[in-house]
C-alpha cells in the first residue's frame, strides 16, 4: 500500500480537511503548494492561474501513498485496529438485522458484527457486488488509451504541472519532490512497459512537450514505469441496507485532473457526518440521503475528468475535424475568463460543505 504509485494532487478542500483533522503536519512540511497549471498546445504554454480564477484557492502536490501512510499512522496512534493480510472477505446480511463482515486471517475464520459497513475496498473489492445486481445500476466509459507513467530521478522540469495536447498524444509533467519527477504520456492501454527503453520514452516526451522556443524536459534515470488504464465508472445508488460505498468501490474517474483520491475523501466526509448525527441525535435522514448527496459531487467530477480527458487526448480514428475542435476548445479555455474559471474551480475542487 505504501509503495503503490498513484496520483499526487490534493484539492483545496482535501488539504483543509487533513489539516482540520490533525493529519496535515507532514503534508505541510513535505508537500508543495501549486498556484496554477500550464496548458500546452500548438507549441505554446498558457497558464491557468488558480489564485486569480478560483478565489485564492490552490492545490497541494503530495502523493496519495504518503496520505495513506499518514492515515495508517494516525489510526494506529489512536489505538484503532487495522487488520492487514485478511483474505476471503465477505459481507453477510447487510439488509438484515445482523450485518457482519467475515474473513480469514492467520488461517482462522473471523467475523465482525456491524451496525454499518463502510465499503471502502476499491473497484475490485467485495462490497459493491454485495448489492444485489437488480438494486444497482453501473454507468461505464472505457477510453481507448492509457497513461504510461514514469518516475524520474531529476529535479522538476517546470514549477507547475504541464498538461500537453499534441497530435502524437497527450503528455503530462508532474513532480513528487525537488529530486523526483512524475511524467506521463498517452499510450495504448495494452502496451507493455518492457517494450519501452528509456531512450524511446524520452523521445516521446521531447516531441510531445516541445515548444516553439525549444523547451525540453529535464532528463534523468527512470526509476519506475507503469501503465494506467482509463475508465469512467459510477455505481448508483451507493448504499444498500447497512452498506455504504465510498471511493473507488463506487466510482472511478480517468486520471486527467487527479480527482480519484479527492472524491473518496469527500465521500467519507459526507458519510462520517451522517454516522455522527445518527449516533449523536438518532438522525437517519443523513444516512438515507448519503448516496444522493455524494453522487451530486461525483457526477460533477466525472464530468470534469471526462472533459479534460476528451479535450487533451488523441482518440484513435481522430480526424482533422476532432483535432481542430480540441484546439478551438483549448484556445477558448486559455483566452476566455469564464472558461478558465470553469477549469480552475473544478481543478481546485468544490467546497466540501
Ligand atoms: C498527477 C496525476 C494526475 O492524474 C494529474 O492529473 C496530475 C498529476 C500525478 O501523479 O502527479
Amino acid at each position: 500500500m505504501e509503495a503503490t504509485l498513484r496520483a499526487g494532487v490534493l484539492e483545496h478542500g482535501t488539504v483543509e480537511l487533513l489539516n482540520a483533522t490533525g493529519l496535515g503536519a507532514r503534508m505541510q512540511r513535505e508537500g508543495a503548494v501549486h498556484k496554477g497549471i500550464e496548458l500546452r498546445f500548438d507549441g505554446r504554454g498558457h497558464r491557468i492561474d488558480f489564485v486569480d480564477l478560483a478565489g485564492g484557492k490552490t492545490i497541494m502536490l503530495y502523493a496519495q501513498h504518503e496520505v495513506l501512510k499518514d492515515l495508517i499512522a494516525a489510526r494506529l496512534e489512536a489505538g484503532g485496529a487495522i487488520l492487514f493480510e485478511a483474505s476471503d472477505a465477505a459481507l453477510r446480511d447487510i439488509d438484515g438485522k445482523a450485518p457482519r463482515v467475515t474473513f480469514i486471517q492467520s488461517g482462522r475464520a473471523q467475523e465482525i458484527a456491524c451496525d454499518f459497513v463502510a465499503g471502502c475496498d476499491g473497484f475490485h473489492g467485495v462490497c459493491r457486488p454485495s448489492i444485489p445486481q437488480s438494486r444497482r445500476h453501473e454507468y461505464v466509459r472505457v477510453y481507448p488509451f492509457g497513461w504510461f507513467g514514469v518516475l524520474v530521478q531529476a529535479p522538476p522540469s517546470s514549477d507547475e504541472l504541464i498538461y500537453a495536447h499534441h497530435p502524437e498524444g497527450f503528455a503530462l509533467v508532474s513532480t513528487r519532490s525537488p529530486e523526483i519527477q512524475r511524467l506521463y504520456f498517452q499510450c495504448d492501454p495494452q502496451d507493455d512497459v518492457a517494450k519501452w527503453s528509456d531512450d524511446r520514452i524520452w523521445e516521446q516526451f521531447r516531441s510531445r512537450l516541445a515548444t516553439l522556443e525549444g523547451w525540453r524536459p529535464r532528463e534523468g534515470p527512470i526509476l519506475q514505469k507503469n501503465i494506467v488504464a482509463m475508465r469512467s465508472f459510477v455505481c448508483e445508488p451507493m448504499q444498500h441496507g447497512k452498506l455504504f460505498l465510498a471511493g473507488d468501490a463506487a466510482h472511478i474517474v480517468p486520471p486527467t485532473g487527479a480527482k480519484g483520491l479527492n472524491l473518496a475523501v469527500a465521500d467519507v466526509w459526507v458519510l462520517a457526518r451522517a454516522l455522527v448525527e445518527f449516533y449523536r441525535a438518532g438522525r437517519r435522514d443523513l444516512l438515507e440521503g448519503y448516496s444522493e448527496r455524494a453522487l451530486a459531487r461525483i457526477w460533477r467530477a466525472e464530468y470534469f475528468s471526462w472533459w479534460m480527458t476528451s479535450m487533451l487526448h488523441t482518440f484513435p480514428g481522430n480526424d482533422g475535424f476532432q483535432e481542430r475542435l480540441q484546439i478551438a476548445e483549448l484556445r477558448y479555455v486559455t483566452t476566455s475568463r469564464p472558461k478558465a474559471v470553469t477549469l480552475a474551480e473544478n481543478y481546485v475542487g468544490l467546497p466540501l460543505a
Side-chain angles (χ1 to χ4, degrees):
M1 285 169 75
E2 296 187 345
T4 305
L5 283 180
R6 298 188 188 281
V9 176
L10 304 183
E11 290 180 355
H12 175 81
T14 303
V15 170
E16 283 200 321
L17 186 62
L18 289 172
N19 285 332
T21 47
L23 278 154
R26 197 164 68 93
M27 169 189 72
Q28 292 296 350
R29 280 198 311 274
E30 297 176 17
V33 173
H34 283 217
K35 298 179 174 173
I37 56 166
E38 178 181 327
L39 293 178
R40 187 173 285 186
F41 56 95
D42 274 350
R44 291 190 179 82
H46 306 261
R47 183 159 189 262
I48 302 289
D49 182 333
F50 296 153
V51 175
D52 173 37
L53 296 163
K57 292 181 182 165
T58 58
I59 53 156
M60 178 77 81
L61 267 280
Y62 187 63
Q64 181 167 328
H65 64 275
E66 301 297 343
V67 177
L68 269 175
K69 286 184 202 170
D70 297 342
L71 290 173
I72 291 168
R75 182 73 184 143
L76 295 177
E77 193 170 325
I82 306 177
L83 306 178
F84 291 105
E85 312 267 328
S87 67
D88 299 85
L91 308 187
R92 319 270 174 205
D93 203 25
I94 50 170
D95 46 4
K97 287 215 161 44
R100 290 168 341 270
V101 181
T102 59
F103 55 95
I104 293 173
Q105 200 194 24
S106 312
R108 277 197 313 127
Q110 306 204 39
E111 184 175 295
I112 303 173
C114 310
D115 295 340
F116 301 101
V117 177
C120 311
D121 57 345
F123 183 68
H124 299 288
V126 300
C127 286
R128 188 181 63 256
S130 303
I131 302 177
Q133 199 139 25
S134 62
R135 304 297 293 275
R136 63 185 146 96
H137 191 88
E138 298 182 345
Y139 299 87
V140 190
R141 279 278 178 288
V142 177
Y143 300 91
F145 38 75
W147 278 12
F148 196 113
V150 294
L151 209 56
V152 178
Q153 191 165 0
S157 296
S158 145
D159 290 340
E160 295 181 341
L161 270 56
I162 303 170
Y163 287 80
H165 175 283
H166 190 272
E168 287 165 46
F170 171 72
L172 169 62
V173 177
S174 182
T175 169
R176 283 291 176 269
S177 74
E179 297 85 34
I180 303 283
Q181 300 186 81
R182 181 77 170 141
L183 295 97
Y184 302 93
F185 66 91
Q186 176 185 346
C187 66
D188 180 337
Q190 312 299 341
D191 213 330
D192 175 4
V193 291
K195 294 196 184 130
W196 285 83
S197 67
D198 292 11
D199 280 350
R200 210 176 143 217
I201 291 169
W202 286 117
E203 226 170 78
Q204 289 299 315
F205 283 127
R206 275 181 230 124
S207 151
R208 296 185 191 195
L209 292 162
T211 62
L212 301 175
E213 286 100 47
W215 190 95
R216 288 170 72 109
R218 265 201 198 128
E219 299 182 19
I222 293 180
L223 307 173
Q224 213 173 312
K225 309 173 186 177
N226 69 320
I227 292 180
V228 186
M230 294 182 57
R231 73 168 81 215
S232 302
F233 173 91
V234 181
C235 170
E236 290 186 2
M238 291 164 60
Q239 66 197 81
H240 179 72
K242 301 291 170 53
L243 170 65
F244 297 84
L245 302 178
D248 282 12
H251 45 79
I252 298 282
V253 286
T256 333
K259 287 290 168 226
L261 169 69
N262 295 290
L263 272 183
V265 167
D267 288 354
V268 168
W269 185 78
V270 174
L271 181 56
R273 294 212 331 168
L275 288 168
V276 166
E277 287 306 305
F278 173 79
Y279 286 110
R280 198 183 62 82
R283 281 178 68 174
R284 291 178 181 276
D285 59 314
L286 295 178
L287 282 171
E288 281 157 14
Y290 165 68
S291 193
E292 193 181 335
R293 173 120 192 256
L295 281 165
R297 179 196 196 87
I298 289 157
W299 275 113
R300 176 117 167 223
E302 289 286 344
Y303 173 73
F304 176 68
S305 306
W306 167 87
W307 175 62
M308 288 282 278
T309 301
S310 306
M311 179 166 69
L312 289 164
H313 291 74
T314 303
F315 287 71
N318 235 14
D319 56 2
F321 185 83
Q322 193 178 355
E323 196 177 323
R324 279 162 182 75
L325 289 183
Q326 288 176 322
I327 296 294
E329 183 149 37
L330 283 161
R331 285 189 185 141
Y332 194 6
V333 171
T334 50
T335 55
S336 148
R337 185 170 176 94
K339 267 294 220 187
V341 166
T342 298
L343 194 156
E345 67 183 13
N346 282 286
Y347 201 105
V348 302
L350 299 179
L352 278 174

